[in-house]
Amino acid sequence: MKRVVLQLLRRPATATAAGFVLAIGVIAVLAPALAPYDPLTQDYARTLEGPSADHLLGTDYLGRDVLSRLVFGARVAAQASLQTVSIALLIGVPLGLIAGYRSGWWDRVMMRLLDVADAIPGLVLAFAVIAVLGTGLTNAMIAVSIIFSMNFMRLSRALALGERERLYVDAARTSGLTQRNILLRQILPNMAAPLIVQSTIFMGTALLIEAALSFLGLGLETGSASWGGMLSGSTRWQFQQPFLPWPPGLAITLTVLAFNVLGDGVRDVLAGGTRDRTPRRRPRVRARRAAAQPSLAQLPDDDVPLDVRGLSVAFPGEDGDVEVVSEVSIRVRRGEALGLVGESGSGKTMTGRAVLGILPAGGAVTAGSIHVDGAQIVGRDEAALNDVRGSRVAMVFQDPMVALSPVHTIGRQVGQAVRNHAPTLSRADVRRRCVELLEMVRIADPEARLGDYPHQFSGGMAQRIVIALALASNPSVLIADEPTTALDVTTQQEILDMLTDLKQRLGTAIVLITHDLGVVADACDRAAVMYAGQVVEEAAVDDLFAAPRHPYTRALLAAMPTGAGGDDRLPTIPGRVPPMTALAPGCRFAPRCAVRTDACDAAPVELGAGVRCLHAGAAWQAGDAAHERRSQVQ
Amino acid sequence: MLGRLVGLRLLGVVPQLALVSALVFALTYLVPGSPAAVLLGSRATPEGIAALEARLGLDRPVWVQFQDWVSGVARGDLGTSWYGGREVTDVIGQHLLPTVCLIVGGTIVAVTLGLSAGVLAALRQGGIVDRVVGVITAAGIAVPSFWLGLLLLSLFAVQLGWLPVLSWTPPDRDLGAWARGLVLPSLAAGAAGAAIIARHSRSAMLEALEAPYVQTLRAIGTPRRTIVLRYAIKNAMTPILTVVAFQVSTLIAASFVIEQVFTMPGIGSELINAVARKDIPVVQGITLVVALAVIVIYLVADIGYAIVNPRARPQ
Amino acid sequence: MSALLEVDDLWIRYRSGSFLTNRRKEPSVRGVCFDVAAGETFGLVGESGSGKSSVGKAILRLVQPERGVVRYDGQDVRSLRGRSLLEYRSQVQVVFQDPWSSLNPRATVGRALLEPLRRHRRVRRSAEGGRVAELLELVGLPPAHADRLPAQLSGGQRQRVAIARALAVEPRLIVCDEPVSALDVSTQSQIANLLQDLQAELGLAYLFIAHDLAVVHHLSHRIGVMSAGGLVECGPADEVYRRPQHAYTRRLLDAEPVPDPAVQRRRREERRLRAG
C-alpha cells in the first residue's frame, strides 16, 4: 500500500492531480474560514463586476462575491461526488460480487436488472427520478447513485467472475474457508484496483451531471452556491460579463480532470506501469567487431544459410543495460536442425528473435553479426528486414492459438504470407499456392478450410497453419520457438515428424528452440545448450547425449525422469537460474556447479572446443555414471 | 448465420422491453402521495383529487391501468399529457427531427474524430501526436458539455460570425442553413464521446499491436502499414464497438442538454418541461422511446460485433 | 487393505450456454473407477481434455459429479455437511499446476499459511508464528519468506508455498494437479523430490495428475491412464510403463520423447514403416 502511494507520488501528473483533489477537500472543509464574504450576501450596487482587489474573481448578477461562492461550491462538489460514489459502492459492489461468485438464478435476476438499466441512459433516468421526486440536489444525487451502483454492479460481477476462475479461490475452498472469508478477504481485495479507478472517474462524472442538471434548472435551488449552478447562472449573463462563467467552469473541468488523472495513475501503477513507459533509450551498441572479421570473407557459404557470430542482445534496465544474450555464435547448414536448449531466462528466445530483427521494445543487438544466406541482418532498416523475413528466414511461435489473427480467415493469412514476397501474383494463383501450402502441412480438405477461422482448428492444426505461413515463400532458415510446448505429446510428435520431413524435403535449416531435451534428441541434428545468456556447450546430438561435457548439460540430463526406478530421488541442480543482473563474475554456472574450483570464479570462461568449462574433461568422467544408469534402461 | 443471431437477440429483447415498460409504467406510482394531489398543489381538496384521479383514470385497479397502458404502447399510443391534453405521440413526433439530427451529427463527430485520433495516437505512441491527443481527450472528458457548447457558440457564432447563432432551420426550408446550424451543436454533443472513444481505441490498438499474431505477421515480412490497416484495426474493432454503442446511447441524453444551449426545438425541451412540472405521461413516453432507441443501438452493435468477430457468431 | 479414497463409476458433465442456447455437452468423465491407499501415490495420466483434472476437482468437491460416488474412509464425500465436511477439507488437500494463480496475489506467504491453520484450529494463537516457520522449513524455504508476497517469489518457491499451505492442516491425501509441469527442468526435479521426501516423512497419499508419463512413473506406485473421459488402463506403475496393455497407452509412451537420439530415430523409422 505504502509502496503504491509512493509510486503514485513519483509520477508528476498524478502527484499534481492528487494535490489538487486534496486542496479541494481542504477548501470544502474550511470554506467558512477561507471565504472572504458570505456567499449569499447580495449587493445590487456592484453586480457583474470583473476581478478587482475587493472581489478577486468579481461579482455575479446579484452582486455576490464569486470567489466566496466558488469556495462554498467546493462543499457541494465534495459532498455530491463522495456521497454518490460511496452509496453506489455500498449497493453495487456487494450485489455484483455475489452475482459473479455464485452465478445461478441470482446472477440471472441481476443481469435482467442490468439489461433494463442499460436501456435507459443515466441522465434520462435522473430526469425520471426528478420527475417523480421533485427537483433538488438530493433527488438528483439519488438518481446518479442508482446509475453508478448499476455500473459498479456490472464491474464487480465481471471482476468476481474473473477472480473465481483463479486457482487461489479453489485452493481457499479446499482449505474449507467460509464463503464469507473467500468473498471478503480473498476476492474483494483483488478487485480493489479497478474499483478505485472507476470510483475516481465517477466522482468526476457526478460533478458533470450535477452541473448539467443545474443548467437545466433541475438541480440545486438557485440561491445556494454550487459550481454547476454558478456556471449555468452565469451563462445567461456571459455577454454582459464574459469572465463570469470561467471560474466555475474551470473549477469543474479541473476537478474532473484531476479525478481522471488520479484514476489513470492508480491504474497504471497497479498494472505495473509499464505500458506507457517503454524506455526510449536504446542499449549502447558496442563496436560491431564481427562485421569486420576477416573470416567473413569466406562467406557467402551456400551450405550455411544461418551464420550468427558473437551475438549480444541487451535491454535498458534500471541501472544501465542488461545483456540477455552474450556472444552467441551458431551456424546451421542446409537441411540441418539445430536445437537451442535452455531453461527460461537462458536467452534462447531472444537469440531467435534477433535473427528476424523482431526483439521486444527496447531490445537491441549490441554486438555481433547475423548472416542469412550470406546477407547481414544486423543494422538493417525495417523495410530491408521485411524483404528478408518470410522469404529467407521465418519464425514459428509457442502458442499456435494466439499466433494467428482471430478475426481473419486462414486463407487470408496464408495468402498474406504468399503475397508478401510475390506481390504480382493473381488472386487465383495465391489461392492455388495457399491450397498447396496447406496440403504440404497435411491439412485435410484444404480448399474448404481456407474460409475457416483459427478458432475452428485444434492446437495442432493451428500450429501446422502457422508453419505453412512461415514456409510460404520457401525461406532458407526456420526459427521454431517452442513450437510444441503448448501441445499434447501425440500432437507434438506429429508436428516434429512433419518438421523433420520438411527439413529433408525442402532443405530448410531449422533452429528449434526448446527446453525439452527429449525434443532435441528427437528432431535435432546438433544442439547448443544455453545458460544465462551464453552457449555453454555445442555438439552433435549423438555426442551430446552420449557424452555431455558441461556440468550443466549433465545435470539437466540427469534431472529428467527416465523411468530408471520408482523410488529413486532425482539428481537436482541446487539454486536457480540467476537473474541477468546478478551474474557470477567468472563462470556463470559456478554457483550451482558440483565440480566448481576457485579458478572458475577468477575470470569469465571462454567457449573452447564446443564447451564453456574449465573442467570439461573431469565433468565428462563424473557424468559417465549417470549416463550408464540411463543407457541400461534402453 | 446472422439471421440466427438477430433472431436470438430479438428473443432476448422481449423480456428486456417488458421489464423496461413495466418500470416506466411504475413511475406514476413512485410519486409520493397521489399524482393528482401533486398536480393540484395547494388548491387540492379531497373532492378535487378524487375528481382529477377519475379524469386521469388513476382510480382504476393498477392491473387494469397497466393492461391499458401496455396495449396502448403496443398500438403506438403513449397516452395523453396531463397538461393541455396533447397526445404524447404527437409531442414526440413534432419534436423528433431536430433531436435525431443532433444525435446523428454528434455520433458522426464522436466516431470519426474519436476513432482517427485514437488510432493515430496509438501508432505514434509516446510521440507528439500521442501527447496532444492525450491532453485534448483528457480535457474533452472533463469539460461540461453545455459549457463547451456555449464557448463554441460565443466564439464561432458571436465573435467570428462563421456559423449561425440560431441553430435550427428545418431542412425542407433551407438545406444549407440546416447543415450549417448543426455543426456547432454536433461538435458540443459529440466532444465527450469522441474523447472517450479516442482513449479506448488508442488502448485497443496498442493491445492489438502487441498481440502475438502481430509477431507472426512480422515474421513473414508483412509491411507495418498492412499490419496496422488490415489486421490490427479489425482486431481492435471488437472492444471499440462496445464503447461506441455505449457512447451513442449516452449521446441521446447529452443531446437533450445541448438542445437547450442552442435553443433547438427538440424532444429535450419537452422532456425537461415535463420533468419540471411532473407531467408523468410525457416523461414515460419519452423515456420509453429513448429506451427503444438504445435497445436498437445495442442490437446493431451486436450484429456489427458478430460481423467483425467470428467467435461471437452462433455456431 | 481398505482404500483411503475410492472413486466408483464417476461421471461428470459440464453445462454450457445460456438458458436460450442450453446444450448438454458430452460428458468429460465417463465411469471412472480407481482407489488410492493410505501412503500411496496414484498417478493419473492423460492428454488435455482427457478429464483427469475433472476427476481431481470432483474429489475436492469443486465440481458436482453427474453420477457415481467418491468415498473417503468409506464415506460418500457428497453427503458431507458442516463439521464433517470441514474435517474432510483437512484430510484432503490440493496443489495446483499454475503457481502464478494458485496463491492470492494480495496475501503474504504467512497469511496464506495462517488462514487454513486458523480455520481448522490447528494451533493456538501464540504458537502460530512458530508453526508457519516450521511449515516453511518443511518445504525448504527460509522462515523469513513469511513476509513476502507471491510476486516476490520464483515459480519453484511459489510451488513450495502451495505445498506448505496444503500441509498446514495435516492432510492424509494431497491431490497434485500437474504440480511440476509449469516449472523449469531443474526446478521440476527439486519439487518432485520434495513431494517424495514429504511422503516418506509424513505418510501422505498422493493423487498425482499429470500429462508426462515419465514424471508420473517416477513418482507413482500405481498408474491410471485416461483418454476421452474414460480410464483405459490401470495397474502398478512399472507394469503400465513397461508393458502397456492398451493401444492408447502405447501411443502415449511412444510419443513421449526420451533423451536418446538413437531411440528416437528408431521410433521415427517404425512410425514411417507403419504409415507405409
Side-chain angles (χ1 to χ4, degrees), chain B residues 28 56 70 111 150 204 231 245 310 313:
Chain B
T28 321
L56 297 176
V70 168
V111 173
L150 286 165
Y231 292 92
R313 295 173 200 163

Side-chain angles (χ1 to χ4, degrees), chain B residues 84-107:
Chain B
R86 288 180 303 163
E87 290 282 321
V88 173
T89 42
D90 288 348
V91 173
I92 295 173
Q94 284 158 12
H95 296 89
L96 196 59
L97 188 61
T99 304
V100 169
C101 291
L102 180 53
I103 291 169
V104 171
T107 304

